[in-house]
Amino acid sequence: MEEIYDFKKVEEKWRKKWKEENLYGRYDESKPKYYVLEMFPYPSGPLHMGHVRNYTLGDVVARYKRMRGYNILHPMGWDAFGLPAENAAIKHNLSPKEWTYKNIEKMKSQLIEQGISYDWDREIATCDPDYYKFTQWFFVELYKSGLAYKKKAPVNYCPTCKTVLANEQVIDGKCWRCGTPVVKKDLEQWFFKITEFAEDLLNDLDELPGWPEKVKIMQRNWIGKSIGADVDFPIDGDDEVIRIFTTRPDTLFGVTFMALAPEHPLVEKLAKKAGILQEVERFKQEVLKMSEIERSSTELEKKGLFLNAYAINPLNNEKIPIWVANYIIYQYGTGAIMAVPAHDQRDFEFARKYNLPIRVVIQSEGEELNPEEMEEAYTGDGIQVNSGKFSGLHSTEAKKKIVKYLEERGIGKGSVRYKLRDWLISRQRYWGAPIPVVYCEKCGVVPVPVEDLPVVLPDEKDVDFNREGMSPLETAEEWKHTKCPICGGDAIRETETMDTFVCSSWYYLRFTSPDALKHPEDFPFDKDNAHYWMPVDQYIGGVEHAILHLLYSRFFTKFLYKKGYVKFKEPFKNLFTQGMVLYQGSAMSKSKGNVVSPEEIVKKYGVDAERLFILFIAPPEADADWTDRGIEGMSRYVNRIWRMFNKFMDVAKKGKDNYDTSSLDELDRALRRKLHETIKKVTIDIEERFHFNTAIASMMELTNELSLYLNKRKSPNPDVLREVFKNFLLLLAPFAPFLSEELWERFGGKESIHLKEWPSWDEEALKRERIKIIIQVNGKVRGKIEVPNNSDEKEIEEAALKEKSVKRFIEGKEIKKIIHVKNKLINIVVG
């Protein structure tokens, strides 16, 4: 018997064999399909334990579903464009391409070492021209549909990364990647009109029961639908109007001032007219130093300047002072508000500071609000007061009637607004997909024809990466100068590249093509294959992508659906967001010196011990704390399985697959019962709960039971042993692929265990002849009894009342009632 599991030898053997047999590239469309996908990684360097956890989760699902009879698609690729490669090029005088592909080679070798069941024939890298040709195709299609456009706008700019950021990439006012405070700049930038699909993106979340509710809430909040009214407030003595959007038209009679965002175009005009331009400009620059998060904060000290101008309330013709205020954000709504201090807390604080009027127009039923005594705004519904002919109505009814009144007089209309803003995709960097547009003096903005794609990046040697304040592509003179596709005259290429999230918004579709990087030639993906495989059945990745990547991918899919290119509205049917891997109580980080290297773990303990431990230490959705003692313990468990199975392998081989179970004694029946309990538990844990940790725990319980059985039995029953050995290995296969494959072969398996059928449990085997019942007295456990299975309640009561450990708690007391929980416990309630 081999005492020690030689994992290095076993792993090398099966990696080679799986590759030779193309085990994970076999497809059978007679079976139901199942598409498993983990979010593909940015190739920044060696794998870390967070990667290992993510990919192992997906691998368990893929292997399990294959054994359940599904035709499995389980691909892998690389989100290969991005700023770190360019920064590395600048810092170390390296080629971004060379740096990226070197990292891809390293990470791929690690994934192969991990034994993840990927079909590597479908591998993609988003930096390959055969891939980003179609990232550019999407741009051209969106442009032709009016969904890609360029405009000058205040944008988020990271001084450290020297690039523009989308709103979603600014976290607490800082760059999502480097943490530098973001500043605002006015630049001409390209946008995708994601707002065109705001309603679909919001409503279709209800069609995703397989998504975590927390992710759907995050997306709903980001889209931020508001129902209200647009109202025009004329400026006194001017032809201009201030258009506002309000969700509370019922408070229109309570407006006591108007407030504009510092960036609002009317601010400069009104400031010039009032002769206070310099003062207002200083205020504006002070406000623009703050992030949107700070300006939106309820803790913000409200500041403003009176613009010496007035607006007219269209409902009562009252003159209202116009202010510029720091808490109004230009990109939200219209960049202007009607301020109702009595019924909006921010307006209330501003009014108190600057001694502006507060007028109550909604009263809580049975209560009279006094503006002089109010300590905070009343923001609830109630009865209209001081509201002209609408006084006396309930505010919910008044909203509808006031909107109708506005519409009838042409001074406003019902409106729906979204917090969601269009997706800013321009980036001032080299290592990304070039935006396929040229600028011609005669023809203007011209998209590059699809037949001329891809617009390939120039050679790095022709680019100066150190020219601050401009895109590196600006320096590629020969590449930059081209010919107009329409007139043939001189033209200049767009020198900005696309946000890398554009590349990752459609990669799941490309994977469905059999040779993902080379096929097809004229369309981003093979339509027939996409129709067969999509949507992704199980998507796995970090919750940090809940807004960015997932929202953008949904937008791309809805665009394709609207164009008639696909037959599905959503890309990901089920979503699972895993927790982080911690070490010494905090997230693994090189700077903290608490990184655990998967290579070192595999070298010391083997892949199976690593996989079992990373899955066992916590539920997949929770953070998992890595411990050195824990991995050592799992290594011992792997070796325990190895020794036990090799020691009794010959006995188990003598057993029969189909045998008469009616004559088994109690010891054999108990082991067989535990086996089928485990099959049921593991199946449900994977299929319904995604709780791989408890599935592994139940398999550990089975090995404990098996060990006790083998210690008690001098001559184990070969039939029972064969049934246990065979089914345990099948249960183990998704979790420990190398160990189970090797033992399966030694057990006599002629075909890979990963192609075998998942076991099913026998309900008859689960039945117990005797069951244990817990006895409580007044809710506290006082004893246990064992009774024949299916004993009636009276028999259980009699046995419980006779139990010695229970008698002393009930003697001399009145038994008021006895509560039964079938086959589990009884609770005796005494006076």
Side-chain angles (χ1 to χ4, degrees), residues 202 308 457 528 575 595 599 632 644 693 811:
L202 184 65
N308 293 328
L457 284 167
D528 290 338
L575 173 69
V595 173
E599 281 186 305
E632 289 167 5
M644 190 187 307
N693 57 318
E811 280 180 346

Side-chain angles (χ1 to χ4, degrees), residues 619-632:
E621 69 277 9
D623 291 344
D625 207 341
W626 183 276
T627 64
D628 295 331
R629 281 184 62 185
I631 183 63
E632 289 167 5

Side-chain angles (χ1 to χ4, degrees), residues 53-64:
R53 190 185 197 197
N54 187 29
Y55 306 141
T56 303
L57 289 171
D59 195 47
V60 170
V61 174
R63 291 180 183 278
Y64 167 77

Side-chain angles (χ1 to χ4, degrees), residues 171-345:
I171 300 172
D172 295 332
K174 297 175 182 177
C175 173
W176 73 296
R177 188 175 290 283
C178 71
T180 301
V182 167
V183 297
K184 286 287 186 181
K185 279 191 173 186
D186 283 336
L187 293 174
E188 286 276 344
Q189 301 286 285
W190 283 98
F191 292 82
F192 284 162
K193 201 172 185 181
I194 191 171
T195 52
E196 187 80 9
F197 292 87
E199 193 70 13
D200 289 339
L201 288 167
L202 184 65
N203 292 339
D204 289 350
L205 287 169
D206 295 333
E207 305 301 315
L208 295 171
W211 279 41
E213 191 57 35
K214 64 179 179 181
V215 173
K216 293 194 282 187
I217 289 171
M218 291 168 76
Q219 292 219 353
R220 286 190 185 103
N221 291 342
W222 190 261
I223 295 165
K225 182 178 180 179
S226 297
I227 300 173
D230 289 336
V231 186
D232 289 336
F233 284 70
I235 296 177
D236 189 35
D238 201 308
D239 293 334
E240 298 276 8
V241 298
I242 300 173
R243 173 161 290 184
I244 62 93
F245 169 76
T246 178
T247 59
R248 297 294 304 269
D250 51 323
T251 65
L252 266 162
F253 285 89
V255 178
T256 60
F257 67 96
M258 306 295 291
L260 306 179
E263 307 98 309
H264 197 292
L266 281 175
V267 169
E268 185 176 344
K269 179 180 178 180
L270 295 175
K272 277 182 181 177
K273 191 174 181 180
I276 55 172
L277 184 60
Q278 285 187 336
E279 186 182 356
V280 169
E281 187 61 30
R282 281 196 297 272
F283 177 75
K284 176 181 176 181
Q285 292 308 316
E286 179 187 326
V287 173
L288 290 183
K289 290 177 184 176
M290 294 188 291
S291 69
E292 288 184 13
I293 299 292
E294 292 172 300
R295 289 169 67 181
S296 303
S297 171
T298 56
E299 305 300 318
L300 174 73
E301 181 188 356
K302 309 301 185 291
K303 293 182 180 180
L305 291 172
F306 177 44
L307 292 172
N308 293 328
Y310 293 85
I312 305 297
N313 188 326
L315 282 189
N316 58 16
N317 293 318
E318 183 176 321
K319 287 177 68 172
I320 308 162
I322 303 171
W323 289 65
V324 57
N326 64 346
Y327 67 97
I328 312 303
I329 298 173
Y330 183 54
Q331 290 81 7
Y332 289 0
T334 65
I337 68 159
M338 58 173 218
V340 186
H343 305 293
D344 182 279
Q345 186 59 30

Side-chain angles (χ1 to χ4, degrees), residues 391-434:
S391 295
L393 295 175
H394 192 275
S395 56
T396 52
E397 185 182 1
K399 284 180 187 178
K400 299 173 186 174
K401 292 197 171 183
I402 290 173
V403 170
K404 184 180 178 183
Y405 183 83
L406 293 169
E407 290 176 340
E408 287 172 349
R409 281 153 184 75
I411 53 178
K413 62 178 181 178
S415 178
V416 175
R417 298 258 176 174
Y418 299 90
K419 182 182 172 186
L420 179 70
R421 282 169 273 168
D422 285 340
W423 175 11
L424 171 59
I425 65 149
S426 293
R427 297 295 180 269
Q428 295 72 40
R429 57 188 183 223
Y430 167 80
W431 194 234

Side-chain angles (χ1 to χ4, degrees), residues 775 777 782-787 793-811 815 818 826 828:
I775 309 169
V777 178
R782 299 304 187 188
K784 295 178 184 177
I785 55 173
E786 198 172 90
V787 297
E793 290 184 359
K794 189 175 180 181
E795 290 172 327
I796 294 172
E797 284 178 18
E798 289 174 355
L801 294 171
K802 291 177 183 176
E803 178 63 27
K804 287 182 181 180
S805 61
V806 175
K807 272 186 176 181
R808 65 192 183 97
F809 292 101
I810 61 175
E811 280 180 346
I815 297 176
I818 299 177
I826 68 167
I828 304 167

Side-chain angles (χ1 to χ4, degrees), residues 39 214-215 218 541-547 577-578:
M39 293 180 185
K214 64 179 179 181
V215 173
M218 291 168 76
V543 73
E544 66 272 16
H545 296 296
I547 293 172
T577 54
Q578 85 283 358

